[in-house]
Amino acid sequence: MFVRRIAVVGTGYVGLTTGACLASLGHRVVCADVDALKIARLRAGQVDILEPGLADLVVEGQSAGRLAFVEGARHAVADAEVVFLCLPTPMGAGGAADLGAVEAVAQEIRDVLPYGAVVVCKSTVPVGTSTRVAALLGREDVAVVSNPEFLREGSAVRDFLHPDRIVVGSDSPQAAERVGALFTKLGAPTVLMDAASAEMVKYAANCFLAMKLSYVNAVAELCELVGADVTSVTEGMGYDKRIGQSFLRPGPGWGGSCLPKDTHAMVRIADAVGVDFSLVKATIETNGRQQRRVVEKLRRAVGPLAGARIGVLGLAFKAGTNDLRDSPALAVAELLAFEGAELVAYDPEISRPLVGMTVVDSPYAAVRDADAVVLLTEWPEFRALDWALVASVMSGSTVLDTRNHLDADALARAGLVLHGLGRELRIPDQAR
């Protein structure tokens, strides 16, 4: 494998993982960011992102002389053969992706890119962005390639180093092959295509996953009404190879940094060309309904929520990350606060104050004097709680497990009434 000089612009989840992992493959990588404090911390080996293995790769890459961090994109790209743009593309007005950061960096670096360099859009961007970036660069000698990422927070390093596939798209086949060759050591299938198709792959994949999650949440509601157990139903479904086991667990809704903005962006893309993508629209609507349904289940269990003290377990959008972006846990908490509930919350990776709730440093502090407890993030430590102690400090006895994560027998032995999603209510024997 040829060793390339690579620049990575942006050191968020995608950028830092991309830079550290490419360095681990033997390439020479310079990562850039506009945040001087973040660059200083990264140079010192301090990684603020909760991502298993990432901090080790950052330290190892710098020690080996293959990974460096600089402030400002121009300094990073001056000697680069390949430049990865790993910049935020948040949801903008009307649901469209905001390409402000991508466009600004393209204009910033166009005059300092080495002759014959390749610029790679790693960020999730609408179809046509590669063409737009090429126009902003205004360099016939510089090719633009789309190389979408498929990294899950909490397992980003593993996903990068053991990918299902690598997608590379460009209107220049030579440039696409050049970028695909960077990942040769990974041994994964590399799918080469045009730029527009590569840009569409990421949206198509994420929207499909979001639809699968909304579907299973709707199935869970149906199971509750007809007396079926969604856990058994999804197990029976998952062995079908056409369906698979993943993304078949009900929850309080889906969130995070990708699915919400990508589903809205797909609807915006479809609307722009006159396609009524009702499947994705229904997926978004079902997700919002799921969060409201969680609140309604809690209301039915404890009565009026105004003045009720609710212990909240979990705030991150999923276990294994400290990311609060579009967290369904926060969405449910906001609805509860709007109803007038008093919220006391605990998450093992979240300690900063949040609007509408009190954040405490212990799960037992969160449940003390609670009329009900709602589990919103599936942290493993919640299964191991001393539920007899929880029952002794609670004011009420209701536990709503929105992830079907807890040991029902353990809660029943403690005298707690467990409500799940898509399954029978578990009532302790002494309460029957």
Side-chain angles (χ1 to χ4, degrees):
M1 184 188 78
F2 291 106
V3 173
R4 296 295 187 187
R5 298 186 305 277
I6 296 171
V8 176
V9 183
T11 60
Y13 277 94
V14 174
L16 188 57
T17 301
T18 297
C21 287
L22 285 171
S24 77
L25 296 179
H27 300 293
R28 296 193 171 277
V29 182
V30 178
C31 294
D33 203 284
V34 295
D35 188 333
L37 179 59
K38 181 190 286 190
I39 292 299
R41 289 179 60 78
L42 289 171
R43 285 173 176 169
Q46 298 173 338
V47 176
D48 297 325
I49 297 170
L50 180 62
E51 200 61 62
L54 184 56
D56 291 338
L57 287 182
V58 168
V59 172
E60 291 167 7
Q62 291 188 93
S63 297
R66 293 192 301 268
L67 181 63
F69 296 95
V70 300
E71 182 183 353
R74 291 174 67 89
H75 297 296
V77 308
D79 190 41
E81 299 171 88
V82 181
V83 177
F84 283 85
L85 303 183
C86 302
L87 299 159
T89 54
M91 191 188 310
D98 183 349
L99 298 178
V102 173
E103 294 176 349
V105 168
Q107 292 172 313
E108 179 185 355
I109 65 175
R110 61 187 175 191
D111 296 331
V112 293
L113 285 169
Y115 181 86
V118 175
V119 172
V120 183
C121 290
K122 196 75 172 171
S123 307
T124 302
V125 293
V127 176
T129 300
S130 293
T131 301
R132 170 66 175 157
V133 170
L136 289 172
L137 292 173
R139 295 273 301 269
E140 292 186 1
D141 61 300
V142 173
V144 178
V145 172
S146 174
N147 174 221
E149 52 86 14
F150 302 98
L151 307 179
R152 297 166 297 170
E153 291 185 33
S155 60
V157 171
R158 183 169 69 249
D159 291 344
F160 189 100
L161 297 177
H162 304 281
D164 295 326
R165 79 293 199 193
I166 295 164
V167 174
V168 183
S170 179
D171 297 333
S172 166
Q174 295 82 4
E177 291 173 2
R178 188 172 168 188
V179 172
L182 298 175
F183 307 100
T184 300
K185 276 190 177 181
L186 301 180
T190 299
V191 188
L192 301 180
M193 60 190 71
D194 61 274
S197 297
E199 290 163 344
M200 179 58 78
V201 166
K202 180 62 183 292
Y203 285 114
N206 276 356
C207 287
F208 183 84
L209 295 176
M211 285 192 290
K212 197 172 180 182
L213 289 170
S214 285
Y215 176 79
V216 78
N217 279 334
V219 169
E221 181 179 8
L222 189 57
C223 284
E224 291 176 16
L225 296 174
V226 301
D229 187 328
V230 72
T231 303
S232 298
V233 171
T234 54
E235 181 181 11
M237 292 170 58
Y239 282 109
D240 188 326
K241 293 179 181 178
R242 297 168 301 174
I243 298 173
Q245 300 279 359
S246 64
F247 285 74
L248 277 184
R249 295 189 64 179
W254 39 264
S257 62
C258 293
L259 296 189
K261 73 181 183 66
D262 290 355
T263 48
H264 281 89
M266 180 71 107
V267 169
R268 180 66 177 266
I269 292 167
D271 286 346
V273 293
V275 173
D276 181 10
F277 211 149
S278 55
L279 273 174
V280 179
K281 291 176 182 177
T283 295
I284 297 169
E285 293 166 1
T286 299
N287 194 52
R289 183 172 180 275
Q290 182 70 1
Q291 293 158 5
R292 296 190 296 273
R293 196 169 82 86
V294 168
V295 174
E296 179 57 32
K297 284 176 70 71
L298 204 54
R299 184 187 298 110
R300 290 200 302 268
V302 303
L305 293 171
R309 186 180 176 97
I310 308 296
V312 177
L313 297 179
L315 295 169
F317 88 92
K318 70 173 185 177
T321 178
N322 55 4
D323 197 346
L324 293 174
R325 287 176 292 178
D326 278 303
S327 170
L330 291 188
V332 170
E334 183 177 348
L335 291 172
L336 290 171
F338 181 79
E339 295 266 345
E342 177 189 356
L343 306 181
V344 183
Y346 168 77
D347 187 290
E349 293 297 334
I350 308 296
S351 58
R352 63 183 182 273
L354 295 172
V355 175
M357 70 187 77
T358 300
V359 179
V360 295
D361 61 2
S362 161
Y364 300 105
V367 304
R368 183 174 298 279
D369 299 325
D371 296 301
V373 170
V374 57
L375 182 147
L376 294 169
T377 310
E378 70 283 18
W379 288 102
E381 72 176 69
F382 294 151
R383 279 185 62 88
L385 291 179
D386 183 340
W387 287 101
L389 176 58
V390 171
S392 71
V393 301
M394 282 182 66
S395 175
S397 60
T398 295
V399 176
L400 174 55
D401 178 8
T402 70
R403 301 281 187 168
N404 291 343
H405 178 62
L406 302 176
D407 183 337
D409 292 335
L411 270 71
R413 288 193 299 270
L416 296 168
V417 180
L418 177 64
H419 300 253
L421 295 185
R423 61 199 322 185
E424 183 182 2
L425 173 69
R426 296 298 297 269
I427 303 175
D429 291 337
Q430 63 266 32
R432 294 180 189 278

PDB file of all heavy atoms in Angstrom, residues 292 295-296 299 303-308 332-342:
ATOM      1  N   ARG A 292     -44.159  10.984  22.327  1.00  0.00           N
ATOM      2  CA  ARG A 292     -45.395  11.365  23.020  1.00  0.00           C
ATOM      3  C   ARG A 292     -46.056  10.150  23.676  1.00  0.00           C
ATOM      4  O   ARG A 292     -46.672  10.264  24.740  1.00  0.00           O
ATOM      5  CB  ARG A 292     -46.354  12.039  22.036  1.00  0.00           C
ATOM      6  CG  ARG A 292     -45.826  13.359  21.468  1.00  0.00           C
ATOM      7  CD  ARG A 292     -46.893  14.102  20.687  1.00  0.00           C
ATOM      8  NE  ARG A 292     -47.340  13.384  19.504  1.00  0.00           N
ATOM      9  CZ  ARG A 292     -46.767  13.468  18.310  1.00  0.00           C
ATOM     10  NH1 ARG A 292     -45.685  14.213  18.145  1.00  0.00           N
ATOM     11  NH2 ARG A 292     -47.252  12.796  17.281  1.00  0.00           N
ATOM     12  N   VAL A 295     -44.639   9.432  27.115  1.00  0.00           N
ATOM     13  CA  VAL A 295     -45.213  10.320  28.129  1.00  0.00           C
ATOM     14  C   VAL A 295     -46.619   9.864  28.503  1.00  0.00           C
ATOM     15  O   VAL A 295     -46.994   9.854  29.685  1.00  0.00           O
ATOM     16  CB  VAL A 295     -45.230  11.774  27.611  1.00  0.00           C
ATOM     17  CG1 VAL A 295     -45.963  12.684  28.593  1.00  0.00           C
ATOM     18  CG2 VAL A 295     -43.807  12.267  27.382  1.00  0.00           C
ATOM     19  N   GLU A 296     -47.398   9.451  27.508  1.00  0.00           N
ATOM     20  CA  GLU A 296     -48.759   8.992  27.782  1.00  0.00           C
ATOM     21  C   GLU A 296     -48.754   7.716  28.630  1.00  0.00           C
ATOM     22  O   GLU A 296     -49.584   7.557  29.537  1.00  0.00           O
ATOM     23  CB  GLU A 296     -49.498   8.743  26.465  1.00  0.00           C
ATOM     24  CG  GLU A 296     -50.924   8.228  26.619  1.00  0.00           C
ATOM     25  CD  GLU A 296     -51.813   9.133  27.457  1.00  0.00           C
ATOM     26  OE1 GLU A 296     -51.610  10.372  27.429  1.00  0.00           O
ATOM     27  OE2 GLU A 296     -52.705   8.609  28.154  1.00  0.00           O
ATOM     28  N   ARG A 299     -48.156   8.792  32.103  1.00  0.00           N
ATOM     29  CA  ARG A 299     -49.333   9.456  32.662  1.00  0.00           C
ATOM     30  C   ARG A 299     -50.382   8.424  33.095  1.00  0.00           C
ATOM     31  O   ARG A 299     -50.999   8.550  34.151  1.00  0.00           O
ATOM     32  CB  ARG A 299     -49.930  10.418  31.633  1.00  0.00           C
ATOM     33  CG  ARG A 299     -51.108  11.227  32.189  1.00  0.00           C
ATOM     34  CD  ARG A 299     -51.799  12.039  31.123  1.00  0.00           C
ATOM     35  NE  ARG A 299     -50.903  13.033  30.521  1.00  0.00           N
ATOM     36  CZ  ARG A 299     -50.433  12.972  29.298  1.00  0.00           C
ATOM     37  NH1 ARG A 299     -50.737  11.949  28.514  1.00  0.00           N
ATOM     38  NH2 ARG A 299     -49.628  13.906  28.819  1.00  0.00           N
ATOM     39  N   GLY A 303     -50.851   8.888  36.863  1.00  0.00           N
ATOM     40  CA  GLY A 303     -51.836   9.950  36.960  1.00  0.00           C
ATOM     41  C   GLY A 303     -51.283  11.258  36.436  1.00  0.00           C
ATOM     42  O   GLY A 303     -50.281  11.283  35.691  1.00  0.00           O
ATOM     43  N   PRO A 304     -51.900  12.377  36.799  1.00  0.00           N
ATOM     44  CA  PRO A 304     -51.430  13.675  36.304  1.00  0.00           C
ATOM     45  C   PRO A 304     -49.942  13.874  36.572  1.00  0.00           C
ATOM     46  O   PRO A 304     -49.449  13.568  37.658  1.00  0.00           O
ATOM     47  CB  PRO A 304     -52.285  14.668  37.105  1.00  0.00           C
ATOM     48  CG  PRO A 304     -53.507  13.904  37.474  1.00  0.00           C
ATOM     49  CD  PRO A 304     -53.052  12.496  37.711  1.00  0.00           C
ATOM     50  N   LEU A 305     -49.249  14.397  35.572  1.00  0.00           N
ATOM     51  CA  LEU A 305     -47.801  14.557  35.692  1.00  0.00           C
ATOM     52  C   LEU A 305     -47.404  15.888  36.321  1.00  0.00           C
ATOM     53  O   LEU A 305     -46.260  16.045  36.770  1.00  0.00           O
ATOM     54  CB  LEU A 305     -47.150  14.431  34.312  1.00  0.00           C
ATOM     55  CG  LEU A 305     -47.253  13.028  33.685  1.00  0.00           C
ATOM     56  CD1 LEU A 305     -46.788  13.051  32.239  1.00  0.00           C
ATOM     57  CD2 LEU A 305     -46.450  12.020  34.491  1.00  0.00           C
ATOM     58  N   ALA A 306     -48.309  16.841  36.356  1.00  0.00           N
ATOM     59  CA  ALA A 306     -48.003  18.137  36.974  1.00  0.00           C
ATOM     60  C   ALA A 306     -47.663  17.935  38.446  1.00  0.00           C
ATOM     61  O   ALA A 306     -48.465  17.401  39.211  1.00  0.00           O
ATOM     62  CB  ALA A 306     -49.184  19.085  36.825  1.00  0.00           C
ATOM     63  N   GLY A 307     -46.473  18.317  38.826  1.00  0.00           N
ATOM     64  CA  GLY A 307     -46.016  18.168  40.202  1.00  0.00           C
ATOM     65  C   GLY A 307     -45.439  16.814  40.540  1.00  0.00           C
ATOM     66  O   GLY A 307     -44.885  16.626  41.638  1.00  0.00           O
ATOM     67  N   ALA A 308     -45.557  15.833  39.630  1.00  0.00           N
ATOM     68  CA  ALA A 308     -44.999  14.505  39.890  1.00  0.00           C
ATOM     69  C   ALA A 308     -43.476  14.555  39.795  1.00  0.00           C
ATOM     70  O   ALA A 308     -42.915  15.232  38.927  1.00  0.00           O
ATOM     71  CB  ALA A 308     -45.553  13.489  38.900  1.00  0.00           C
ATOM     72  N   VAL A 332     -38.136  13.355  25.296  1.00  0.00           N
ATOM     73  CA  VAL A 332     -39.144  12.875  26.244  1.00  0.00           C
ATOM     74  C   VAL A 332     -39.114  13.727  27.510  1.00  0.00           C
ATOM     75  O   VAL A 332     -40.164  14.116  28.044  1.00  0.00           O
ATOM     76  CB  VAL A 332     -38.897  11.390  26.578  1.00  0.00           C
ATOM     77  CG1 VAL A 332     -39.780  10.949  27.749  1.00  0.00           C
ATOM     78  CG2 VAL A 332     -39.166  10.514  25.363  1.00  0.00           C
ATOM     79  N   ALA A 333     -37.907  14.046  27.995  1.00  0.00           N
ATOM     80  CA  ALA A 333     -37.787  14.875  29.199  1.00  0.00           C
ATOM     81  C   ALA A 333     -38.422  16.247  28.989  1.00  0.00           C
ATOM     82  O   ALA A 333     -39.084  16.780  29.893  1.00  0.00           O
ATOM     83  CB  ALA A 333     -36.317  15.023  29.579  1.00  0.00           C
ATOM     84  N   GLU A 334     -38.250  16.812  27.814  1.00  0.00           N
ATOM     85  CA  GLU A 334     -38.841  18.111  27.528  1.00  0.00           C
ATOM     86  C   GLU A 334     -40.369  18.038  27.567  1.00  0.00           C
ATOM     87  O   GLU A 334     -41.034  18.939  28.088  1.00  0.00           O
ATOM     88  CB  GLU A 334     -38.377  18.599  26.160  1.00  0.00           C
ATOM     89  CG  GLU A 334     -38.874  19.980  25.786  1.00  0.00           C
ATOM     90  CD  GLU A 334     -38.346  20.470  24.446  1.00  0.00           C
ATOM     91  OE1 GLU A 334     -37.423  19.837  23.908  1.00  0.00           O
ATOM     92  OE2 GLU A 334     -38.866  21.489  23.949  1.00  0.00           O
ATOM     93  N   LEU A 335     -40.927  16.947  27.035  1.00  0.00           N
ATOM     94  CA  LEU A 335     -42.377  16.772  27.073  1.00  0.00           C
ATOM     95  C   LEU A 335     -42.871  16.613  28.508  1.00  0.00           C
ATOM     96  O   LEU A 335     -43.919  17.154  28.879  1.00  0.00           O
ATOM     97  CB  LEU A 335     -42.773  15.547  26.240  1.00  0.00           C
ATOM     98  CG  LEU A 335     -42.586  15.666  24.723  1.00  0.00           C
ATOM     99  CD1 LEU A 335     -42.842  14.317  24.052  1.00  0.00           C
ATOM    100  CD2 LEU A 335     -43.517  16.722  24.144  1.00  0.00           C
ATOM    101  N   LEU A 336     -42.117  15.882  29.318  1.00  0.00           N
ATOM    102  CA  LEU A 336     -42.489  15.697  30.725  1.00  0.00           C
ATOM    103  C   LEU A 336     -42.432  17.026  31.479  1.00  0.00           C
ATOM    104  O   LEU A 336     -43.318  17.337  32.285  1.00  0.00           O
ATOM    105  CB  LEU A 336     -41.571  14.675  31.381  1.00  0.00           C
ATOM    106  CG  LEU A 336     -41.739  13.219  30.934  1.00  0.00           C
ATOM    107  CD1 LEU A 336     -40.616  12.350  31.499  1.00  0.00           C
ATOM    108  CD2 LEU A 336     -43.098  12.678  31.371  1.00  0.00           C
ATOM    109  N   ALA A 337     -41.389  17.800  31.219  1.00  0.00           N
ATOM    110  CA  ALA A 337     -41.257  19.105  31.873  1.00  0.00           C
ATOM    111  C   ALA A 337     -42.400  20.026  31.460  1.00  0.00           C
ATOM    112  O   ALA A 337     -42.923  20.790  32.283  1.00  0.00           O
ATOM    113  CB  ALA A 337     -39.906  19.732  31.532  1.00  0.00           C
ATOM    114  N   PHE A 338     -42.815  19.938  30.190  1.00  0.00           N
ATOM    115  CA  PHE A 338     -43.924  20.758  29.713  1.00  0.00           C
ATOM    116  C   PHE A 338     -45.217  20.405  30.444  1.00  0.00           C
ATOM    117  O   PHE A 338     -46.085  21.261  30.669  1.00  0.00           O
ATOM    118  CB  PHE A 338     -44.105  20.570  28.208  1.00  0.00           C
ATOM    119  CG  PHE A 338     -45.211  21.396  27.615  1.00  0.00           C
ATOM    120  CD1 PHE A 338     -45.019  22.746  27.338  1.00  0.00           C
ATOM    121  CD2 PHE A 338     -46.455  20.832  27.324  1.00  0.00           C
ATOM    122  CE1 PHE A 338     -46.033  23.512  26.801  1.00  0.00           C
ATOM    123  CE2 PHE A 338     -47.471  21.600  26.784  1.00  0.00           C
ATOM    124  CZ  PHE A 338     -47.262  22.939  26.522  1.00  0.00           C
ATOM    125  N   GLU A 339     -45.335  19.129  30.831  1.00  0.00           N
ATOM    126  CA  GLU A 339     -46.512  18.677  31.583  1.00  0.00           C
ATOM    127  C   GLU A 339     -46.460  19.122  33.039  1.00  0.00           C
ATOM    128  O   GLU A 339     -47.412  18.926  33.782  1.00  0.00           O
ATOM    129  CB  GLU A 339     -46.611  17.149  31.520  1.00  0.00           C
ATOM    130  CG  GLU A 339     -46.852  16.596  30.140  1.00  0.00           C
ATOM    131  CD  GLU A 339     -48.316  16.380  29.839  1.00  0.00           C
ATOM    132  OE1 GLU A 339     -49.127  16.387  30.777  1.00  0.00           O
ATOM    133  OE2 GLU A 339     -48.647  16.193  28.654  1.00  0.00           O
ATOM    134  N   GLY A 340     -45.315  19.681  33.456  1.00  0.00           N
ATOM    135  CA  GLY A 340     -45.190  20.141  34.836  1.00  0.00           C
ATOM    136  C   GLY A 340     -44.508  19.169  35.767  1.00  0.00           C
ATOM    137  O   GLY A 340     -44.505  19.369  36.990  1.00  0.00           O
ATOM    138  N   ALA A 341     -43.918  18.097  35.234  1.00  0.00           N
ATOM    139  CA  ALA A 341     -43.222  17.135  36.074  1.00  0.00           C
ATOM    140  C   ALA A 341     -41.899  17.712  36.577  1.00  0.00           C
ATOM    141  O   ALA A 341     -41.250  18.516  35.886  1.00  0.00           O
ATOM    142  CB  ALA A 341     -42.966  15.845  35.293  1.00  0.00           C
ATOM    143  N   GLU A 342     -41.509  17.288  37.765  1.00  0.00           N
ATOM    144  CA  GLU A 342     -40.205  17.638  38.324  1.00  0.00           C
ATOM    145  C   GLU A 342     -39.230  16.523  37.968  1.00  0.00           C
ATOM    146  O   GLU A 342     -39.429  15.374  38.362  1.00  0.00           O
ATOM    147  CB  GLU A 342     -40.300  17.790  39.841  1.00  0.00           C
ATOM    148  CG  GLU A 342     -38.976  18.090  40.505  1.00  0.00           C
ATOM    149  CD  GLU A 342     -39.038  18.020  42.022  1.00  0.00           C
ATOM    150  OE1 GLU A 342     -40.141  17.813  42.563  1.00  0.00           O
ATOM    151  OE2 GLU A 342     -37.966  18.148  42.660  1.00  0.00           O
TER     152      GLU A 342
END
